[in-house]
Amino acid sequence: MKQKTMRSVLALGVAAVLFTGCGTHNPTTDVNLRKERSASFQDLMVKDAAIEPVQTSMTLSMAIARAVKYNLDHRVKMMETAVAQEQLSLARMSYLPEVTAMAGYSSRNNEPGAISRSLATGDVSLEYSTSQEKDHTITSLRGAWDVIDFGLTYYSVSQKTDEILIAQEQRRKVVQNIIQDVQEAYWRAYIAQELLGQVNAIATESDQALVRFKSLANTGKVDPKEGLGEQRELLQIRYNMRNLQEQLSQGRIHLNALLNLPPGTEYHLEAVSRESLPTITPNVSKLETMALMNRPELRIEDSKLKISQADVKKSVLEMLPHVEFWGELTDDTNEYLYNESWNEVGVQVSWNLLGAAQGLGKHGVYEAEEDLAEARHRALSMAVLAQVHLAVNRYGIALAKYEDASQLEDVSGKLSKMLQKDSQRVGKMGFDRIRANLQATSSKMEGMLAYAEVQNALMRVYNSLGVDPIEDIGDGTASVPELAKKIDGHLQKMNDAMQQ
C-alpha cells in the first residue's frame, strides 16, 4: 500500500515538473520579438519616407504638413478616433431586441408512460398513459425587449458619442503640439544649416590661435600674465563654440523624428525671411472668449462631464424594476399534442431588490464624480485664462528681445568687418579678430533665435487660444504640398485675426 502511495506521489511530482517545464517562458522568444519589431519599425519608416519622398528642399509649411500627415503620435490619435467610432456602432446594436432561436431533439429508450391519482377521490387509474412520443423535436423563436435595458443603451450610446468627441479633441491637441514642435525644430535646424560652418571655422581658428599663444608664452615673447589671460579667453571662446555646436547639431535630428524620417535623412531647408510680425489686439477679453470656446482641454472636460451625468441617470434606471415584453413562436413534432404549433406573447416584471440597494450607492458615487468634473472644469478654465495672458505677455517680451538682438547683430557684424580689414597684424589684434568673429556669429545666431522665439511665442498664443488647422486639413489624406497650402492659409488667417 505504501509503495502504491509512493508511486502515486512520484508520478504527480514528475507530472508537475513536466507541466512547469512546458509552461516556462522562453526568454529567446522576447528577443526574437524585439528584433522583429525593430526590423518592422525601420521598414515602415522607410516605406513612409518613400510614399512622398523628401524633395531636395523643404519649407516650414511643408515640414508642418509632413509632420501632420506622417507623425506617429498623430496617427495613433486618428486610430483612437476610428476605434471610438466603431465602439459607437457596436453600442447602437444594443438597441435591438433580444431574439433567440432554439432547436432541440429528444429521444428515450422506452415510452414515457405514467398512471395518475385523482386528487378529489383518491382513485388511481389502472392503465398507464402517455402524452409524449419517445422521439420528438421542438423549435422556437423568442423575441424580448426590456424597457430599462433600452434606457441604459440610450445613455451608453450618448457616452460613446462623447468618447468620440474626446478622441477628436485629443487629436486636435496633438496637431497643435506638432505644429509648435516642428516650428521650433525647423528653426534650430535652419540656423544650424546656415551657421554651423562658420562656428566650426571659428572653433578651428581659435584652436590655432591657442597653439600660437602657447608658443609665444613658452618662448617669452609675451608677458606670462598677458599670455595666460589670452589663453584663458581663447579657451572660453572654444568652450562657447562647443556649446553652439551642441545646440545646432541636434536640431536636424529632432526635426526628422517629428517628420517620421530616418535620422540621417538629408535635405535643404528653405530660407525663412524675417517678415513683419503681427501686433496682437489689446482686447484680451476677446482672446479669453476664444480660448474658453476652442481649447481642446475644456472640450474634453465638457464631454467627461456629460459622461458623468449619463452615469448618474443610468444608476437611477438600474434601481427601477425591469419590464420585459416578449413573444415566442413554437413548433413541436409530438403527435399527441392537439396543436403542434402555437404563438405566445407576454409581459414580465422583475426587480432585483439588492441591485436597487446597490444602485443607491452607485448614484451617490456618480453624483460625486459629476461634482468633481464640474470643479475640474472650473479650475481648468482659470488655468486657460492664465495661459492666454502669459502667452500674450511672452510674445511682447519676445518682440522686444528680438529688436535688441537685431541691433546687436548689426553692431557685431560691423565690428567684425572692421577687424577683418587688418589681417596682417598678429598678437592682440589677431585675438581680437577671432573674438569679434565669434561675437558676430553668436549675435547672428542670437538674432535668428530671437526671431524664431517670436514665432514660437506667437504659436504659443495660438495654442493658448485652441486654434488649429484641423477643419482645413480634414483627415490629413491630402498630399504634403496641398496640406502645406492649407496650413499657410490657416496661419495667415490667424495672423490677420490677431490684429483685429
Side-chain angles (χ1 to χ4, degrees), residues 82-84 164 170 174 234 277 293 301 330 337 352 419 422 444 452 456 472:
V83 170
I164 292 177
Q170 289 175 340
V174 167
L234 283 171
L277 296 164
M293 292 291 294
E301 290 301 325
T330 308
L337 293 176
N352 185 350
L419 294 176
D422 192 357
K444 185 177 181 180
N456 296 336
D472 297 326

Side-chain angles (χ1 to χ4, degrees), residues 24-324:
T24 301
H25 185 68
N26 187 359
T28 59
T29 304
D30 284 345
V31 174
N32 294 334
L33 179 60
R34 288 195 295 270
K35 289 181 179 178
E36 291 176 2
R37 287 186 177 275
S38 177
S40 175
F41 174 75
Q42 292 177 354
D43 292 342
L44 181 61
M45 188 165 23
V46 172
K47 290 179 181 178
D48 285 343
I51 293 175
E52 290 186 81
V54 179
Q55 305 299 324
T56 55
S57 61
M58 181 181 296
T59 63
L60 175 59
S61 58
M62 289 182 67
I64 294 175
R66 188 174 188 90
V68 169
K69 185 171 184 178
Y70 293 107
N71 183 269
L72 296 181
D73 291 334
H74 185 215
R75 286 186 176 183
V76 169
K77 292 304 176 183
M78 292 183 68
M79 292 176 66
E80 289 178 355
T81 303
V83 170
Q85 291 173 342
E86 291 297 327
Q87 290 177 341
L88 174 62
S89 300
L90 183 61
R92 284 174 175 166
M93 296 296 292
S94 300
Y95 276 129
L96 300 176
E98 180 183 346
V99 179
T100 305
M102 188 273 290
Y105 172 76
S106 176
S107 176
R108 57 182 294 168
N109 65 335
N110 52 25
E111 294 289 349
I115 60 175
S116 61
R117 182 174 65 85
S118 173
L119 295 178
T121 63
D123 295 337
V124 178
S125 62
L126 301 178
E127 295 181 352
Y128 286 88
S129 62
T130 183
S131 61
Q132 182 176 314
E133 291 185 274
K134 288 176 25 178
D135 303 306
H136 74 110
T137 59
I138 182 170
T139 57
S140 66
L141 182 65
R142 188 178 191 276
W145 185 74
D146 192 300
V147 176
I148 298 299
D149 286 345
F150 178 84
L152 293 175
T153 299
Y154 173 81
Y155 290 115
S156 295
V157 169
S158 174
Q159 289 176 319
K160 294 299 180 184
T161 303
D162 289 323
E163 288 177 3
I164 292 177
L165 297 178
I166 289 175
Q168 292 174 343
E169 294 303 321
Q170 289 175 340
R171 180 199 170 199
R172 286 185 59 226
K173 185 61 180 176
V174 167
V175 169
Q176 292 173 8
N177 292 337
I178 286 174
I179 293 176
Q180 180 171 329
D181 291 344
V182 168
Q183 180 166 276
E184 292 181 2
Y186 185 95
W187 269 103
R188 289 197 174 275
Y190 173 72
I191 294 171
Q193 175 183 281
E194 298 299 310
L195 299 183
L196 191 57
Q198 299 179 33
V199 170
N200 293 336
I202 295 175
T204 301
E205 188 176 1
S206 65
D207 290 341
Q208 295 172 353
L210 183 62
V211 173
R212 186 169 65 251
F213 272 111
K214 286 182 178 180
S215 175
L216 292 174
N218 292 334
T219 58
K221 295 182 179 180
V222 295
D223 181 69
K225 184 177 180 180
E226 181 182 359
L228 290 175
E230 300 293 349
Q231 291 180 46
R232 184 184 63 180
E233 292 207 31
L234 283 171
L235 288 171
Q236 185 64 44
I237 289 175
R238 190 167 67 176
Y239 179 78
N240 293 336
M241 287 298 97
R242 296 287 187 265
N243 289 335
L244 291 178
Q245 288 171 331
E246 179 183 5
Q247 293 181 34
L248 296 178
S249 62
Q250 297 176 358
R252 183 64 64 97
I253 299 174
H254 188 202
L255 181 61
N256 285 345
L258 291 169
L259 302 185
N260 194 25
L261 292 172
T265 304
E266 293 292 336
Y267 45 86
H268 179 76
L269 298 177
E270 292 289 340
V272 182
S273 59
R274 302 189 192 182
E275 301 174 349
S276 59
L277 296 164
T279 302
I280 296 180
T281 174
N283 187 6
V284 183
S285 60
K286 174 186 174 183
L287 303 181
E288 292 177 349
T289 303
M290 290 178 61
L292 294 175
M293 292 291 294
N294 297 324
R295 279 292 289 268
E297 296 93 332
L298 291 177
R299 291 186 179 183
I300 289 173
E301 290 301 325
D302 288 338
S303 297
K304 288 182 177 179
L305 176 60
K306 291 180 182 178
I307 291 175
S308 298
Q309 292 172 342
D311 280 332
V312 173
K313 296 175 181 177
K314 287 169 67 175
S315 67
V316 173
L317 285 178
E318 289 174 348
M319 290 187 287
L320 301 177
H322 285 248
V323 179
E324 182 183 77

Side-chain angles (χ1 to χ4, degrees), residues 245-469:
Q245 288 171 331
E246 179 183 5
Q247 293 181 34
L248 296 178
S249 62
Q250 297 176 358
R252 183 64 64 97
I253 299 174
H254 188 202
L255 181 61
N256 285 345
L258 291 169
L259 302 185
N260 194 25
L261 292 172
T265 304
E266 293 292 336
Y267 45 86
H268 179 76
L269 298 177
E270 292 289 340
V272 182
S273 59
R274 302 189 192 182
E275 301 174 349
S276 59
L277 296 164
T279 302
I280 296 180
T281 174
N283 187 6
V284 183
S285 60
K286 174 186 174 183
L287 303 181
E288 292 177 349
T289 303
M290 290 178 61
L292 294 175
M293 292 291 294
N294 297 324
R295 279 292 289 268
E297 296 93 332
L298 291 177
R299 291 186 179 183
I300 289 173
E301 290 301 325
D302 288 338
S303 297
K304 288 182 177 179
L305 176 60
K306 291 180 182 178
I307 291 175
S308 298
Q309 292 172 342
D311 280 332
V312 173
K313 296 175 181 177
K314 287 169 67 175
S315 67
V316 173
L317 285 178
E318 289 174 348
M319 290 187 287
L320 301 177
H322 285 248
V323 179
E324 182 183 77
F325 298 89
W326 60 272
E328 186 173 8
L329 307 176
T330 308
D331 181 80
D332 196 332
T333 61
N334 183 11
E335 65 179 5
Y336 297 117
L337 293 176
Y338 183 76
N339 292 308
E340 295 183 355
S341 300
W342 65 93
N343 305 329
E344 288 183 274
V345 294
V347 179
Q348 179 176 330
V349 179
S350 62
W351 193 8
N352 185 350
L353 299 179
L354 294 179
Q358 293 174 352
L360 288 174
K362 291 181 180 180
H363 183 73
V365 171
Y366 292 143
E367 281 191 330
E369 289 181 354
E370 182 180 355
D371 294 338
L372 176 61
E374 287 278 9
R376 191 165 53 226
H377 189 281
R378 288 194 296 269
L380 186 57
S381 298
M382 182 60 66
V384 164
L385 295 182
Q387 289 173 5
V388 170
H389 284 265
L390 285 173
V392 173
N393 181 262
R394 287 173 179 171
Y395 178 71
I397 293 175
L399 272 177
K401 291 175 67 176
Y402 170 62
E403 293 176 359
D404 294 340
S406 297
Q407 295 179 16
L408 180 61
E409 179 184 357
D410 182 59
V411 171
S412 298
K414 290 178 180 178
L415 178 60
S416 176
K417 290 179 180 178
M418 292 175 61
L419 294 176
Q420 286 290 347
K421 293 180 180 179
D422 192 357
S423 59
Q424 302 299 323
R425 297 177 62 185
V426 295
K428 181 73 175 177
M429 195 63 190
F431 167 72
D432 287 343
R433 186 181 68 254
I434 296 173
R435 183 169 55 186
N437 289 339
L438 169 63
Q439 291 175 346
T441 302
S442 178
S443 298
K444 185 177 181 180
M445 187 185 78
E446 291 295 335
M448 297 176 73
L449 285 175
Y451 182 80
E453 182 56 33
V454 173
Q455 293 289 351
N456 296 336
L458 182 61
M459 192 59 64
R460 293 189 190 99
V461 173
Y462 293 161
N463 276 7
S464 70
L465 300 179
V467 295
D468 53 70

